[in-house]
Structure formats: structure tokens, C-alpha cells
Amino acid sequence: MVRCKVCSLNAGHPGISIDDDGVCNLCRLDVAVELVENFTYVSRVYEEFTNSGPNQRGPHDCLLMYSGGKDSTYMLDKFVNEYHKRVLSYTFDLPFESVHAAANISLVREKIPATFVIDTDERIKDVMREVFNRPTPAKPGKYLDEKLPCVSCRSFFVIRAILYAWQHDIPYIILCADPQQILTMESNVRKIVKSFYRTFGRTLTDEYFQGELERLLFAPESELPKIVFPFVALRDEYDPDRIVAELKEKGLYRSSPYETHCTLFPLLNYYSFKNWDCMFYKLNASSYLRAVSRNKDYDRSTYSVRFPRSVDVTELEDRLRAIVFEIATGEGDPDAHEDALVDLFKRLDATEDAARYVARSFLDMRTVAADMGIRID
Ligand SMILES: [Zn+2]
């Protein structure tokens, strides 16, 4: 197997090519041009939003996509209390989250004067079932294809937020993606919508959004909301540890290892192993290895998962693959699987409790798949 000698990504990883020196395109920064263009656009929209006066067309200056996590809580507080924006806080309540969004936001709701909207739509399950049950995709694939179910889920509720903002004459949408997520998200409303059409086709897209998207696609540019990525615009200032400390001081945040756990996480790993022969977090792991190779003192945890230096990513991935396939096919001993998974997650800096919690969710994989109508074998 050919692997990038810097970040260990495999030659067959979607969107990855490895040159004669054994270095991949992400490590060579072939994506730099696209990044710079994105950053320029994102910075301009951020400036425009922070300098804009009150929205003349309605009671809200912006819609902020609020998950209840540290990043969006920090920005909600900042835009309401520092910039004095009239914020509509929009939360999509995902049926796959172990702790529901409504519980996450109750603390903040009492303390920050914003309008809180919680949206939900069972069609998200149809979207997931469709993606998971697709036949094995054609190779070589493109960047992020191994995360297609996860990306599609996020696109679905971002598009619902876009529709909400458009229908309520709200000119800006705040999306609190961290600086590393900019590559995973289009920065323009029409591009996000078009990309969903490309993935699901016209018939399914119209079904999922009840024909509303087509109207949006043909609406004049001036009516469409613009997306603001504050953490990308302020990327040099992004410091997760400081954000958590500030929020705790204001009584706006209680951290819990379970709060953002997705019950589909084991199936997401099954999907990426089965279709692309890699674990779900492979790009995150390689991004960590890349950062360490550039800066030996690098130890900041700007990733959703920590990869301690002692971890051998390839070995970890091999062990996870073996266990995931055994569970998926109903082979092997569940107790042995649980112990092995707890050991793996603890090596990724998880506490004993968190590691066991995630390990048990893997043991439930077949039940979750059956409930969702997702085929595994
Ligand atoms: Zn690389």
C-alpha cells in the first residue's frame, strides 16, 4: 500500500494523489489557491456583516446556526452582547444525537436575549438511508467522499436554515465551522444547494425539500442570504481552550463528553471502511500528522478528536476495521469487542467512561441499522 510519507493517507483515499516523492496533494498544498480565494470571500462577507446596520426587511439581522456546542455558544454571545445584533438562533434537532439539542440549549436560552427556534424534520432519515444504501461508489472518488453520509446530513439542515432565512427575509446566516472545516463547506448559498442537487438528483432533492429549493435557486442574488463564517474570518484568533474558559466563566457552558455524540458514528465508520477502506476520522488523523510534521511543538486540540503522538494511526485503523466488520456481520464475541474498543478510544485520550460509552454504541450498530432501514452485511 502506497501512503503519503508525511500524513500517512493512502493512495486510494478519495481526492488524494501521491507524487513520485511520496507526498500527497494535501501535504503539497495543491489546494492552496482554492483556500486563498475562499478566505478572501469569507473575510469580505464577515466585514460586511459586522459593519451592517439593522435589517430593514425584518426583525432579525442574522440567523445563527446554533448547536449548543462551544463554538456556536461563543458566537451567539458575541453577536448578541458585543455587536448588539438581533439574532435568531436556529437549531436543527437531529434524531441521531444521543442528547437532544433542546436539552443542550436550555442553559443558554435563559441567559442570552435572542429568539430561539428549534427545527426538526424526519426526512433527514430518508436522506441517510438513501446515502448508506447506495451501491459501492466508483473509484477514485473525490475529496470527502468517505464522509458522504455526514456531509449530506449537515448539508440537509444547513439548506433548511437557508430556506428559513430566505423565507423570513434574514440577510445573513452565521455558521460556526472551525477554520479546518472551511474546505468541507461551500461558502455560497447557491453552491451549497447545487451541490446537494448533484449528490441526490432532482427528484429526491425536490422530495426532501418539497420543491422549495428550485424557487430559491432561481431567486435574484440580492434576495439570498449570505453565509458568514466568523471562525474562518478570525482564524488566527481561534483558540478552543480560551473559548471554553471564557464560556465557563460566564456560566454559558457545561462540557460533557457525550453531548455531541452521534448514534450513527459506528455506521459512519462502517461506511468509510466498506467503501473507501479507511476509518471515518482518517482526514482528521492525517491533518494532525501534517501539523506535527510542520511544527514539532504542535499540541493544540483544534480537532474534534485528539490524536496523541504515541498513537500509530495505521495500526489503530487496522484494529478498528477488523472489529467494525465483525460487529457488522454479527461475528465474534461482544465482550471482547467492547474491551478492544475501550482500549482503542482510551488511547485517543478518551476517559474510561466516554470510551465505554462510545464502545457500547458500536455494539448496537446492527440494531441502529435495522431501525433506520440501513443494509449492512
Ligand atoms: Zn500527505
Side-chain angles (χ1 to χ4, degrees):
M1 170 89 68
V2 180
R3 295 177 192 281
C4 171
K5 65 186 182 191
V6 181
C7 73
S8 99
L9 278 175
N10 301 338
H13 194 98
I16 298 306
S17 55
I18 295 178
D19 67 14
D20 294 341
D21 298 329
V23 179
C24 81
N25 53 325
L26 290 182
C27 290
R28 285 196 316 267
L29 272 182
D30 274 1
V31 288
V33 177
E34 190 187 331
L35 258 180
V36 170
E37 277 175 19
N38 242 338
F39 277 136
T40 311
Y41 174 78
V42 163
S43 306
R44 203 175 62 228
V45 175
Y46 180 78
E47 284 291 304
E48 184 192 302
F49 167 65
T50 49
N51 293 322
S52 65
N55 174 22
Q56 304 296 333
R57 291 188 289 151
H60 296 107
D61 303 321
C62 64
L63 176 156
L64 184 140
M65 300 214 51
Y66 188 55
S67 70
K70 66 179 186 323
D71 292 350
S72 55
T73 304
Y74 180 82
M75 281 300 164
L76 180 62
D77 176 52
K78 189 183 178 85
F79 287 128
V80 171
N81 291 320
E82 214 175 291
Y83 284 83
H84 306 291
K85 297 286 188 187
R86 300 169 303 167
V87 181
L88 182 128
S89 159
Y90 172 95
T91 303
F92 188 80
D93 204 0
L94 277 170
F96 321 122
E97 252 158 16
S98 52
V99 176
H100 282 260
N104 268 343
I105 71 171
S106 62
L107 179 70
V108 161
R109 219 178 167 137
E110 288 165 21
K111 299 197 175 185
I112 298 182
T115 305
F116 289 86
V117 169
I118 295 179
D119 182 24
T120 187
D121 187 336
E122 288 289 309
R123 278 174 288 233
I124 185 67
K125 292 184 179 172
D126 302 335
V127 174
M128 288 299 135
R129 189 178 307 114
E130 204 281 326
V131 178
F132 273 109
N133 286 342
R134 285 179 180 190
T136 307
K139 303 295 181 287
K142 55 185 196 312
Y143 190 63
L144 282 176
D145 272 355
E146 82 282 11
K147 288 186 172 180
L148 186 63
C150 189
V151 170
S152 302
C153 176
R154 187 171 59 162
S155 299
F156 178 82
F157 65 79
V158 167
I159 290 174
R160 284 192 61 92
I162 292 171
L163 280 170
Y164 189 99
W166 180 55
Q167 285 156 351
H168 292 81
D169 287 322
I170 303 174
Y172 294 98
I173 294 172
I174 318 292
L175 234 167
C176 298
D178 77 32
Q180 285 150 359
Q181 290 173 317
I182 184 63
L183 268 181
T184 71
M185 193 83 222
E186 297 281 6
S187 45
N188 164 292
V189 161
R190 236 188 272 272
K191 282 186 186 163
I192 293 174
V193 170
K194 282 183 182 162
S195 153
F196 197 93
Y197 269 103
R198 266 198 305 277
T199 307
F200 291 93
R202 175 181 289 244
T203 311
L204 281 178
T205 304
D206 285 348
E207 195 182 305
Y208 296 148
F209 296 100
Q210 318 237 281
E212 282 294 287
L213 270 194
E214 195 141 356
R215 290 208 305 127
L216 182 140
L217 215 45
F218 293 103
E221 192 73 37
S222 59
E223 281 180 19
L224 296 180
K226 287 182 184 165
I227 302 195
V228 181
F229 293 90
F231 283 118
V232 180
L234 303 171
R235 60 195 180 279
D236 297 332
E237 296 167 35
Y238 185 73
D239 179 348
D241 298 333
R242 182 180 58 81
I243 286 173
V244 168
E246 257 182 56
L247 290 176
K248 283 190 170 162
E249 202 169 298
K250 292 180 177 175
L252 290 172
Y253 189 68
R254 276 188 295 241
S255 57
S256 151
Y258 318 126
E259 71 186 6
T260 54
H261 184 69
C262 174
T263 53
L264 299 184
F265 181 60
L267 284 166
L268 293 173
N269 275 284
Y270 174 75
Y271 180 92
S272 50
F273 277 129
K274 180 176 156 241
N275 293 301
W276 300 102
D277 197 30
C278 67
M279 62 179 174
F280 178 75
Y281 277 128
K282 189 60 179 287
L283 279 180
N284 305 61
S286 67
S287 161
Y288 174 77
L289 292 174
R290 196 173 304 127
V292 170
S293 84
R294 290 205 180 115
N295 175 4
K296 300 290 179 218
D297 301 322
Y298 186 90
D299 65 349
R300 275 181 50 183
S301 62
T302 53
Y303 307 95
S304 35
V305 187
R306 256 180 128 99
F307 291 91
R309 235 160 262 219
S310 56
V311 166
D312 177 340
V313 171
T314 308
E315 189 246 356
L316 182 129
E317 186 176 42
D318 288 344
R319 290 186 56 194
L320 188 60
R321 179 192 293 106
I323 300 170
V324 163
F325 282 146
E326 276 196 22
I327 295 174
T329 50
E331 290 161 33
D333 169 33
D335 289 337
H337 290 150
E338 181 171 333
D339 288 346
L341 288 167
V342 168
D343 176 57
L344 280 186
F345 299 137
K346 275 168 77 177
R347 281 161 52 197
L348 290 175
D349 261 13
T351 62
E352 171 80 33
D353 284 353
R356 196 157 297 278
Y357 182 83
V358 179
R360 289 197 176 138
S361 76
F362 272 75
L363 300 184
D364 287 340
M365 189 195 306
R366 285 166 67 87
T367 314
V368 174
D371 287 350
M372 287 280 298
I374 293 170
R375 290 189 296 272
I376 55 174
D377 35 49

